[in-house]
Amino acid sequence: MQPPYLADASRYERMSYRRCGRSGLDLPAISLGLWQNFGGTDAFAAGRAVLRRAFDRGVTHFDLANNYGPPPGSAEENFGRVLATDFRPYRDQIVVSTKAGYEMWPGPYGNWGSRKYLVSSLDQSLKRMGLEYVDIFYSHRVDPRTPLEETMGALDHIVRQGKALYVGISSYSPEMTRRAAAILKQLGTPCLIHQPSYSMLNRWVEGGLLDTLDELGMGCIAFSPLAQGMLTAKYLDAQPTDARAAKGGTLRAHFLSPENLARVRALDAIATRRGQTLAQMAIAWVLRDPRVTSALIGARTVEQLDNSLDALGNLSFTSEELAEIDIHAVDSDINLWRASSTAEAG
């Protein structure tokens, strides 16, 4: 039987925190997402070790969604187990976020952005995690068939119910972000944060979204800063058989084109000269912009987690480094979430 978990007493000295837009909430510069590696098909002990290590290093924000797993829902269930066994005494020191917007159950009420779906989904998420409330609840994507007023009204309703402290949106275009924020402001529930994909190979947020968020006073938490592992050492030589691309998942095989791999190798050479791994430089690069509140990473092992968190040791770039990175850091047709970020609500 394992001894009771006691968090590292120096954890808050090991992390930097950034204010989330014009709110009262600080988030760690690096947050941990449970998208791919914490589901029912993964080893619970490994996931638990990653969560413990993250908190011991000052990561206070853990990001989930109703459909994270696989199978869907299992990441929330596993996180709930860790909350119950390890993190319960620290609940008020932790920011828990979850989302709804993708298919979760069959029938017309288990997908997209209706009030029916969002409210029901959060109720299920709270049960899976054993929580009375989450700190942040997101609309996970734009619903082109549902009025935006209904989707944002559901977020406002959830806050007024006491089931979420803050609300946010994910993969909304600048225009849709403005519309969503205006509706929520009128309802009296500010839109706290936007969660877009952003990396050196996927720079769409620089086309107006970051400016919009800054103007509106919203935070930005960038997910997939490592481009689903492309911006790591994993693909520098050959595609490993245990990699996500080999399993037919969200990392499409065509993402690993000769052109993209050449970009990755060139960026790795720059990272080496900086004394960093490619992953560390990729995270530091996302955080170079003060409008980015937090970089949202994933980790399958404690070693991967530590490697990513060590990016905090060197977040500065010279103008020459940034110029050289810009030669290779170009949009590389890897944005899986483009359909949402170019959609308009009903």
Short mmCIF file of all heavy atoms in Angstrom, two decimals, residues 35 54 71 95 125 152 162 196 290 298:
data_model
loop_
_atom_site.label_atom_id
_atom_site.label_comp_id
_atom_site.label_asym_id
_atom_site.label_seq_id
_atom_site.Cartn_x
_atom_site.Cartn_y
_atom_site.Cartn_z
N TRP A 35 -5.54 14.76 -22.67
CA TRP A 35 -6.23 14.41 -23.90
C TRP A 35 -6.00 12.96 -24.32
O TRP A 35 -6.94 12.21 -24.57
CB TRP A 35 -5.78 15.37 -25.01
CG TRP A 35 -6.31 15.10 -26.37
CD1 TRP A 35 -7.48 14.46 -26.70
CD2 TRP A 35 -5.70 15.47 -27.61
NE1 TRP A 35 -7.64 14.42 -28.06
CE2 TRP A 35 -6.56 15.03 -28.65
CE3 TRP A 35 -4.53 16.14 -27.95
CZ2 TRP A 35 -6.27 15.24 -30.00
CZ3 TRP A 35 -4.25 16.35 -29.29
CH2 TRP A 35 -5.11 15.91 -30.30
N ALA A 54 3.61 16.47 -11.83
CA ALA A 54 3.24 17.80 -12.33
C ALA A 54 2.89 18.74 -11.18
O ALA A 54 3.39 19.88 -11.12
CB ALA A 54 2.06 17.68 -13.29
N PRO A 71 -11.39 5.04 -23.65
CA PRO A 71 -12.62 5.49 -24.30
C PRO A 71 -13.11 6.81 -23.73
O PRO A 71 -12.65 7.22 -22.66
CB PRO A 71 -13.60 4.34 -24.00
CG PRO A 71 -13.12 3.81 -22.68
CD PRO A 71 -11.63 3.89 -22.73
N VAL A 95 -6.70 24.09 -10.39
CA VAL A 95 -7.67 24.53 -11.39
C VAL A 95 -7.99 23.33 -12.28
O VAL A 95 -7.10 22.78 -12.94
CB VAL A 95 -7.11 25.69 -12.24
CG1 VAL A 95 -8.06 26.02 -13.39
CG2 VAL A 95 -6.89 26.92 -11.36
N SER A 125 -19.74 14.95 -16.33
CA SER A 125 -18.31 15.14 -16.04
C SER A 125 -18.08 15.29 -14.54
O SER A 125 -17.12 14.73 -13.99
CB SER A 125 -17.79 16.37 -16.78
OG SER A 125 -17.77 16.17 -18.17
N MET A 152 -23.80 30.25 -25.55
CA MET A 152 -23.24 31.13 -24.51
C MET A 152 -24.21 31.25 -23.33
O MET A 152 -23.78 31.36 -22.18
CB MET A 152 -22.94 32.51 -25.09
CG MET A 152 -21.85 32.51 -26.15
SD MET A 152 -20.27 31.80 -25.59
CE MET A 152 -20.25 30.25 -26.52
N GLY A 162 -23.51 27.40 -10.18
CA GLY A 162 -22.39 27.08 -9.30
C GLY A 162 -21.62 25.85 -9.74
O GLY A 162 -20.81 25.33 -8.96
N PRO A 196 -6.92 27.75 -28.12
CA PRO A 196 -6.68 27.40 -29.52
C PRO A 196 -5.47 26.48 -29.66
O PRO A 196 -4.59 26.44 -28.81
CB PRO A 196 -6.36 28.76 -30.14
CG PRO A 196 -5.59 29.46 -29.04
CD PRO A 196 -6.13 28.93 -27.72
N PRO A 290 3.55 37.48 -24.67
CA PRO A 290 2.91 37.68 -23.36
C PRO A 290 1.40 37.53 -23.39
O PRO A 290 0.78 37.39 -22.33
CB PRO A 290 3.31 39.12 -22.99
CG PRO A 290 3.66 39.78 -24.29
CD PRO A 290 4.22 38.70 -25.15
N GLY A 298 0.87 17.63 -23.10
CA GLY A 298 0.54 16.29 -22.67
C GLY A 298 1.83 15.56 -22.33
O GLY A 298 2.92 15.98 -22.72
#
